[in-house]
Amino acid sequence: MTLCRLETVIRRWFAVTLMLLAACAAAAPPPSAELPPDSIYQLDIALQDQEGRSFHLAELRGTVYVVSMFYSSCQYACPTTIETVKHTLAQLPESRRGHARALMVSFDPKRDTVPVLERVAQEHGLDPQTWTLARTDEASARKLAAVLGVQYRALPDGDFNHNTRLLLIDRDGRIAGQTERIGKVEPTFVDRLRELAP
Amino acid sequence: MKRIETIRSALALAGLAGLLTIFGGAVRAEEPASSRIAGDFGPPQGEAIHAVLASPPNVPPPIHRSYPAKIIVELEVLEKEMPISEGVTYTFWTFGGTVPGSFIRVRQGDTVEFHLKNNPANKMPHNIDLHGVSGPGGGAASSFTAPGHESRFTFKALNEGVYVYHCATAPVGMHVANGMYGLLLVEPPQGLPAVDHEYYVMQGDFYTTGKYREKGLQPFDMARAIEERPTYVLFNGAEGALTGDRALVAKTNESVRIYVGNGGPNLVSSFHIIGAIFDRVRFEGGSNVQENVQTTLIPAGGAAVVEFRPRVPGSYVLVDHSIFRAFNKGALAILKVDGPENKSIYSGKELDAVYLGDRSQPNLSAVSAAAHAASGGVLTVKEQIEAGKALFQGTCSVCHQPDGAGMEGVFPPLAGSDFLAANPRQAIQILLQGRKGKITVNGKTYDSVMPPMSQLNDDEIANILTYVLNSWGNPGGHIDMDEVRKMRAALAKPAGSASE
Amino acid sequence: MALPSRRALAAACGLAALCVCVPLYAAPYTTVPGGLFRGVLTGNEDPPSPVARFSMRVTPVTNAEYLAFVQRVPRWRRGAVPILFADSDYLRACAGPTELGDAVSPEAPVTGVSWFAARAFCEDEGARLPTWLEWEYVAAADATRTDARSDPAWRARILAWYASSAEANKQRVGGEPNAYGVKDMHGLIWEWVEDFNALLVDADSRVQGDAEKLRFCGAGAITMKDRESYAILMRIALLSSMNAAGSTTTLGFRCARPLPETAP
C-alpha cells in the first residue's frame, strides 16, 4: 500500500470514528452530572413494562410524568388511583395530551408479572402510548417509594397496607407536584400539570 | 268605602312586606360568603405579625387591634432536664423550654401560621394539637416533626376562648405526662376587660418511678401513669414553681385574672384559692360565666378563667382541693398580696403553718442544697440542719410546735428532751414506725399516738432528726441517711428473723 | 538461587499487609438464629411471623467506620451527595467531608446519615439494612432471654433512655451483648431499617382504627397489637417521621446479611 492510500484509509477511519462518536453522544442520555440534584432519575433502577420491555428509570427523562405505585390485587385504592390519573391527564386539552404520560410501578413484583400488568392495562383500557405499568425488584421498589413518599407494607396474606400518592414529575425528574387525594381530580395538581406540559 | 280602605291597607301592607322581603333578601345576598361562618371576619389585613409568646406565669399583653391579621407563631420543642422538686430532677419535654409551654394569644378571626420546630438535640418526634383549631387533629396531622426539622400549618381562629394545646405523638399519654401542654387564648374581637394582673397557671400530674421527693433524676413511670397513680400533682411543672420568691403577686383591691389550664394527662382539678372567692369564672374557658364560686372543676385537657379581687393582704394558696394532692403531691401555689389590713373584712392571723406546711418558708432551697451536697458526698452537719429545719416546719411543727415545745398533755416536747437524749437513735424508729402507748418526757407522761411518717424519705428523716438533735438544748450529733436506710431495711424483716 | 526475587518479596509483603488490613476492616457480624416472632405489626388474628436466620452487625456502625467508607467512596461525602439522597443535615456534626473533628468520637455510632447513605454503606460491605421485623426480633432480647418483652423492667430500662437527653455523639459502642450476642440495640441511638416507610403511622396517632380507607388502604395504619409496647411504639413514631433523604442527630444504623438456610 502506498503512503497516500494509507493516509486516505486512516483519514476515512478517523472520520467514521468521529461520526460514530458523535452519533453515540447524541443518542445517549445526558451524563448524570447534568441531572438536577433532586431529580429522581439519579436512581439507578431497571424496570420491565407491561409489554415485557426492559428500561431504566432514567430513560423516561424528557417527558412529563404522573407517577404512582400500586399492586394488582388491590381492590379499592389502586383501581381508583388509576382512574384518577386517567382523569387528571384528561384535563389537558386535546392538543397537549401527548405531552404527558403516566407511570405506575408495582411494589408487588412477585405477583405482578408482565402478563398481570398487561391484564391490568387492558382492564382499564390503558393506551400503551401514554401508560407504562412497570415492575422492578423489591429493593428498587423500596427505593423508588422512599423518594416518592409512598409507604407500603406487605401483610401475611399477600395483601398490602399502603398510602396513596400521585406525583407530578417534570422533564428532568424533579417532583413538581403531589397529591394524596384520589377519587377526585386535585385542581392544584392539574394546574401544575398544565404548566409543565404546554 | 271601608272595604276599599281595608283592601288598600292590605295592599299597602303586602307591598311593604314585599319590599322588606326584597330588601332583606338583597342585604343577605350582598353579605360575603365567609362571614356566614361565625368568627370568620374575612381575610387577614395589614402586615403579618410575629406573635409575642410568654413564659408562665406571665401572658403576652392584651391585643389592641380591630381587624383580623395574619399571626406567625414560632414554637420550639425542647427536651430538657429540670428540677421537679427540691433535689429531684426530671426530663421534661417542653414547648418553648417551660412547663406549661409558652402562652399564645391571638384575636378571634386571626389567621395563624404555626411553625413547630423540633430542636436537633431532641430525641423524639413531636407534633401539636391545639384545641382552638377547627381541623383534623387540631393540627396534629400536619405537624409531625422529626428532631432537627420544622413543620408549618395554618388555621383560622374561629372561636374565642381559652384552649389547651398539647403534643399528640405516640404514645400520647407519655408526651403529655412529660409536660407537653400549654394554653392558647383567642380574644373576642372587642378584647377582654382590663384587669390589674393576668397570670398563667397550669396543673399537671406527673409519674415517676421513685417516691414523692425521692432525690435524683427520676424516670417516667408508664405503669403508674396507666394506673393513674401520680407521684406529683403540680402547678407549672415543679414544686415551688409558684411559691416563695416565685409566688404570684398583687396588691389589695387589685383585679386579678388567672387563666388556669389542666394539662392532665389524667386528673381533673378541683381548683380553689384558699382565702378567695372567684367573682367570675368562665368555666371550661367557654362563653358562660358563673359568679361567686369557691371551687371550679377544670377537666383534663381543659381550662377556665377566674377573676377576683383580694381585699386583704396575705398569702392566698392555690390548690387542687382533692386535698391530698395539695399537701402530699405538691399541688400548691401562692398568690402573695400586699397592702393595708382591713380588719372589718378579716381580722384573723396570717395563714397558719398548718396550711402551708413547709411552703410557709420562702422556699426550700436548703433542701436542694443538701441534696446536691449529698450526691457529691460532701454533706455537712450544718447543711443537714438547714434542710431539716425547712422540712420540720409543717410536718413536725404542727404537733410539736415550731419551737419544739409540744402541747401539754398531748404531744411531747422535743426541746431539751431527756427521752431523746437517752437514746437519740430510737427517734429513727419512731419516725419510721410511729409510736403509741405511754412515754415519759421531762417528767411528764404522754399517752398519744404518733403515726409513722411513711411519706418521708431516708435523707429527709436524717436531716430532720439532725436538726432536732441540734436545737433547743438537745445534745447535738447527727444522723446519717445510711443509718436510716439500714434501720428501715431491718424493720422490714419479718418478726423472728435475726436482727442487726 | 539463594535470595527470593524482588517480585516475590513484594508479593509476599502485599499479602501480609492484606492479611493485617482486611481483618481490621472486617466488621464483626454474629449469626441470629431464625424463629417465629409476634411483633407489634403482627395482627391479632395473624400467626406469628417467621424470621429467617440472618447475620447482624454486633454494634451500630461507628463514626470511624463511616469515615473510612466516605474516604474510599467520594460520591458519598458531604457536599458530593445529591440532595435526593441526603439533605443538608447529612453528617452535619462532622468538621469536614472527610474529617470527624473534636465534637465527634470515632467509636460512637455514626448519626446524621440518611436512609440512602446507610443503605450505600451496607451494600458496600455486601450487606443491607435489617428489616423492621429483624430489628424488632433482635431488640426483644435482653442479656439472658431472647424475648424479654413481658418483663416490665425491660420496658422501663428502654423508656428510661428515652427520658434522657441525646448524647449519642459521645457514647461509645460496645455495651453488654444481648442473648443473641448483639450489642447496643437500646440505649444509644435510633436505627434505620430497610422498610422504614412500611411503618405507616398516621401523623396524628390518635386515629387508630379510623376508617380512612383511601389513605391507608388495607384496613388502616398501625394497629398496635400491644399498646403497652411503648418502647417499640416510639421507635416506629421516630422512623415514620423521617423521610429517606433526611437524618437526625440520634439516628444511626447497623447492617444485616441474609444467610442460607441451614440444612435440616
Side-chain angles (χ1 to χ4, degrees):
Chain A
M1 199 186 276
T2 66
L3 206 58
C4 289
R5 232 207 213 147
L6 189 57
E7 204 190 320
T8 316
V9 167
I10 289 172
R11 277 221 192 102
R12 223 174 264 165
W13 173 88
F14 195 60
V16 166
T17 315
L18 267 179
M19 271 167 52
L20 277 173
L21 279 174
C24 287
S32 56
E34 288 181 18
L35 276 174
D38 54 341
S39 167
I40 69 168
Y41 297 137
Q42 293 173 106
L43 283 171
D44 183 16
I45 291 180
L47 304 113
Q48 255 188 322
D49 71 12
Q50 70 267 38
E51 297 181 348
R53 268 193 302 255
S54 297
F55 65 103
H56 269 86
L57 188 70
E59 288 175 43
L60 302 184
R61 186 181 187 183
T63 309
V64 172
Y65 267 92
V66 176
V67 179
S68 189
M69 297 186 77
F70 80 115
Y71 69 112
S72 65
S73 326
C74 173
Q75 297 300 320
Y76 189 60
C78 307
T80 316
T81 304
I82 292 178
E83 292 303 310
T84 309
V85 174
K86 252 198 199 167
H87 281 111
T88 306
L89 287 177
Q91 300 301 308
L92 283 174
E94 201 63 62
S95 56
R96 300 202 251 154
R97 291 267 166 89
H99 294 199
R101 306 185 74 237
L103 170 70
M104 300 280 293
V105 180
S106 165
F107 43 72
D108 186 14
K110 275 206 199 74
R111 290 193 300 185
D112 291 347
T113 57
V114 168
V116 169
L117 295 178
E118 173 65 22
R119 174 179 56 78
V120 172
Q122 278 181 359
E123 272 167 9
H124 286 269
L126 302 179
D127 161 25
Q129 285 298 317
T130 312
W131 281 83
T132 303
L133 302 186
R135 60 193 291 277
T136 180
D137 61 274
E138 281 180 9
S140 296
R142 191 57 74 183
K143 282 201 284 204
L144 182 63
V147 146
L148 298 179
V150 170
Q151 297 174 295
Y152 63 92
R153 178 167 86 245
L155 299 173
D157 59 359
D159 213 349
F160 282 84
N161 270 7
H162 64 101
N163 68 351
T164 49
R165 239 176 175 220
L166 303 191
L167 288 305
L168 181 63
I169 307 293
D170 74 10
R171 287 197 177 77
D172 284 322
R174 277 179 293 228
I175 297 176
Q178 61 207 325
T179 176
E180 300 206 334
R181 183 196 272 193
I182 57 169
K184 270 192 202 165
V185 167
E186 169 69 57
T188 43
F189 192 89
V190 170
D191 288 342
R192 287 293 288 138
L193 172 63
R194 286 199 186 120
E195 279 170 36
L196 289 179
Chain B
M1 213 46 180
K2 234 186 187 168
R3 199 185 275 163
I4 293 172
E5 287 295 322
T6 321
I7 292 171
R8 259 203 212 129
S9 314
L11 276 172
L13 268 169
L16 195 58
L19 273 172
L20 279 171
T21 318
I22 292 168
F23 271 119
V27 167
R28 267 199 297 282
E30 273 165 13
E31 267 175 10
S34 63
S35 68
R36 285 206 203 103
I37 303 177
D40 186 345
F41 304 131
Q45 302 169 29
E47 296 282 310
I49 299 171
H50 282 268
V52 170
L53 308 182
S55 295
N58 298 311
V59 301
I63 294 175
H64 299 295
R65 191 174 13 101
S66 55
Y67 55 89
K70 177 161 189 176
I71 310 292
I72 298 175
V73 174
E74 297 191 70
L75 194 52
E76 185 180 38
V77 175
L78 284 160
E79 296 168 10
K80 57 198 272 207
E81 186 180 327
M82 298 194 285
I84 191 171
S85 181
E86 288 79 12
V88 189
T89 57
Y90 185 85
T91 303
F92 293 95
W93 298 344
T94 72
F95 285 108
T98 57
V99 175
S102 309
F103 193 99
I104 308 171
R105 189 168 194 154
V106 302
R107 180 181 181 269
Q108 187 182 15
D110 279 346
T111 297
V112 180
E113 185 184 284
F114 202 100
H115 295 246
L116 184 70
K117 303 179 196 205
N118 193 344
N119 190 285
N122 293 341
K123 214 178 265 169
M124 313 300 300
H126 297 285
N127 63 8
I128 191 167
D129 168 7
L130 299 120
H131 287 185
V133 172
S134 308
S142 327
S143 58
F144 197 34
T145 314
H149 294 79
E150 177 179 327
S151 324
R152 182 175 109 172
F153 65 98
T154 303
F155 68 93
K156 195 171 261 192
L158 293 174
N159 296 64
E160 60 123 340
V162 56
Y163 299 98
V164 169
Y165 68 77
H166 63 89
C167 181
T169 301
V172 182
M174 185 173 178
H175 284 248
V176 174
N178 285 342
M180 297 199 76
Y181 44 76
L183 287 184
L184 160 72
L185 171 65
V186 183
E187 285 193 7
Q190 72 277 14
L192 294 168
V195 291
D196 295 305
H197 296 280
E198 286 187 308
Y199 287 116
Y200 170 29
V201 172
M202 200 151 183
Q203 181 173 326
D205 22 297
F206 296 88
Y207 302 82
T208 63
T209 55
K211 273 173 56 182
Y212 176 63
R213 290 198 188 162
E214 192 173 309
K215 305 294 181 285
L217 172 62
Q218 289 296 328
F220 168 70
D221 190 327
M222 178 62 89
R224 289 186 72 145
I226 293 173
E227 291 161 20
E228 303 190 24
R229 290 188 301 121
T231 325
Y232 297 89
V233 181
L234 302 169
F235 291 116
N236 291 12
E239 285 215 85
L242 297 170
T243 67
D245 49 7
R246 293 190 281 168
L248 306 177
V249 296
K251 290 198 172 39
T252 50
N253 297 312
E254 283 187 324
S255 52
V256 178
R257 174 185 297 142
I258 310 183
Y259 302 96
V260 191
N262 182 2
N266 290 322
L267 304 188
V268 166
S269 175
S270 304
F271 185 70
H272 173 82
I273 299 187
I274 303 177
I277 298 160
F278 303 132
D279 296 321
R280 290 164 53 89
V281 176
R282 271 184 80 161
F283 52 93
E284 299 177 356
S287 309
N288 287 327
V289 171
Q290 180 70 285
E291 294 177 339
N292 303 316
V293 176
Q294 62 190 296
T295 301
T296 187
L297 271 178
I298 309 183
V305 186
V306 303
E307 290 175 11
F308 61 101
R309 232 177 245 279
R311 299 290 182 192
V312 297
S315 296
Y316 292 74
V317 188
L318 286 68
V319 296
D320 180 336
H321 217 292
S322 292
I323 210 70
F324 271 98
R325 298 175 194 173
F327 299 126
N328 295 77
K329 294 196 167 73
L332 192 153
I334 295 187
L335 168 70
K336 188 103 181 50
V337 176
D338 285 317
E341 301 261 349
N342 189 340
K343 298 282 186 193
S344 68
I345 293 182
Y346 187 72
S347 69
K349 45 186 181 153
E350 169 55 49
L351 197 56
D352 226 14
V354 177
Y355 251 138
L356 283 171
D358 40 32
R359 297 283 164 199
S360 59
Q361 299 308 307
N363 53 52
L364 286 179
S365 58
V367 174
S368 291
H372 184 72
S375 66
V378 292
L379 181 64
T380 62
V381 173
K382 186 162 180 297
E383 282 165 333
Q384 281 194 280
I385 292 172
E386 288 300 310
K389 180 174 176 187
L391 292 164
F392 183 89
Q393 305 305 327
T395 307
C396 321
S397 65
V398 177
C399 299
H400 294 288
Q401 301 309 309
D403 58 2
M407 198 179 289
E408 183 97 19
V410 186
F411 304 123
L414 300 175
S417 160
D418 57 1
F419 180 83
L420 256 184
N423 182 0
R425 257 113 204 106
Q426 75 178 324
I428 305 178
Q429 181 163 356
I430 292 175
L431 288 194
L432 288 173
Q433 294 191 311
R435 181 72 179 244
K436 53 184 181 201
K438 281 201 176 69
I439 62 169
T440 305
V441 182
N442 295 352
K444 300 219 171 64
T445 316
Y446 296 86
D447 189 358
S448 269
V449 176
M450 170 159 164
M453 298 284 111
S454 40
Q455 80 281 15
L456 291 177
N457 293 314
D458 296 340
D459 61 304
E460 291 171 325
I461 291 178
N463 295 343
I464 289 173
L465 289 178
T466 303
Y467 165 67
V468 168
L469 285 175
N470 285 279
S471 305
W472 321 301
N474 282 323
H478 78 282
I479 307 258
D480 226 274
M481 189 173 118
D482 275 333
E483 269 187 88
V484 180
R485 188 176 46 80
K486 285 200 186 100
M487 187 174 299
R488 191 193 289 272
L491 292 173
K493 287 204 190 107
S497 58
S499 52
E500 275 189 71
Chain C
M1 202 155 33
L3 293 167
S5 72
R6 275 202 204 113
R7 209 176 277 170
L9 207 56
C13 284
L15 197 61
L18 211 60
C19 289
V20 171
C21 294
V22 165
L24 281 183
Y25 276 133
Y29 276 73
T30 186
T31 301
V32 179
L36 290 172
F37 185 69
R38 197 158 256 295
V40 292
L41 301 182
T42 314
N44 282 333
E45 283 79 47
D46 291 330
S49 318
V51 182
R53 196 172 78 103
F54 69 106
S55 90
M56 193 180 225
R57 254 176 174 264
V58 172
T59 63
V61 174
T62 62
N63 285 308
E65 288 171 317
Y66 200 79
L67 176 65
F69 166 66
V70 301
Q71 278 169 340
R72 263 187 312 109
V73 188
R75 70 175 186 280
W76 280 103
R77 292 181 193 170
R78 189 175 84 200
V81 188
I83 204 168
L84 187 77
F85 299 131
D87 67 14
S88 52
D89 287 332
Y90 181 55
L91 297 177
R92 188 183 258 195
C94 295
T98 50
E99 193 195 327
L100 290 182
D102 294 327
V104 176
S105 152
E107 292 312 308
V110 67
T111 56
V113 284
S114 70
W115 180 74
F116 283 107
R119 293 177 103 250
F121 179 100
C122 292
E123 274 171 22
D124 183 70
E125 63 177 38
R128 54 164 175 76
L129 289 171
T131 61
W132 167 261
L133 187 65
E134 286 169 341
W135 197 93
E136 197 193 346
Y137 178 68
V138 175
D142 70 2
T144 51
R145 299 164 288 186
T146 54
D147 191 346
R149 289 177 298 168
S150 53
D151 182 353
W154 174 88
R155 191 182 309 147
R157 259 198 310 275
I158 297 172
L159 286 179
W161 174 61
Y162 297 158
S164 63
S165 60
E167 281 282 291
N169 279 357
K170 295 284 188 187
Q171 286 181 347
R172 302 168 59 95
V173 303
E176 284 306 304
N178 70 11
Y180 291 114
V182 178
K183 302 179 183 175
D184 307 322
M185 291 298 282
H186 302 287
L188 275 191
I189 47 167
W190 308 111
E191 294 185 25
W192 281 115
V193 294
E194 166 71 12
D195 51 349
F196 85 99
N197 61 353
L199 299 175
L200 282 162
V201 171
D202 199 313
D204 183 349
S205 32
R206 297 163 296 176
V207 300
Q208 312 298 335
D210 197 0
E212 264 227 62
K213 280 216 168 64
L214 286 182
R215 201 150 167 248
F216 290 127
C217 174
I222 294 275
T223 44
M224 293 293 294
K225 175 192 164 294
D226 179 4
R227 275 178 204 274
E228 291 199 322
S229 304
Y230 289 100
I232 299 298
L233 226 175
M234 285 152 92
R235 292 209 166 248
I236 293 183
L238 188 281
L239 284 174
S240 53
S241 75
M242 299 300 303
N243 62 57
S247 59
T248 177
T249 54
T250 46
L251 174 61
F253 69 103
R254 70 180 75 215
C255 306
R257 287 187 184 124
L259 288 176
E261 292 293 329
T262 44

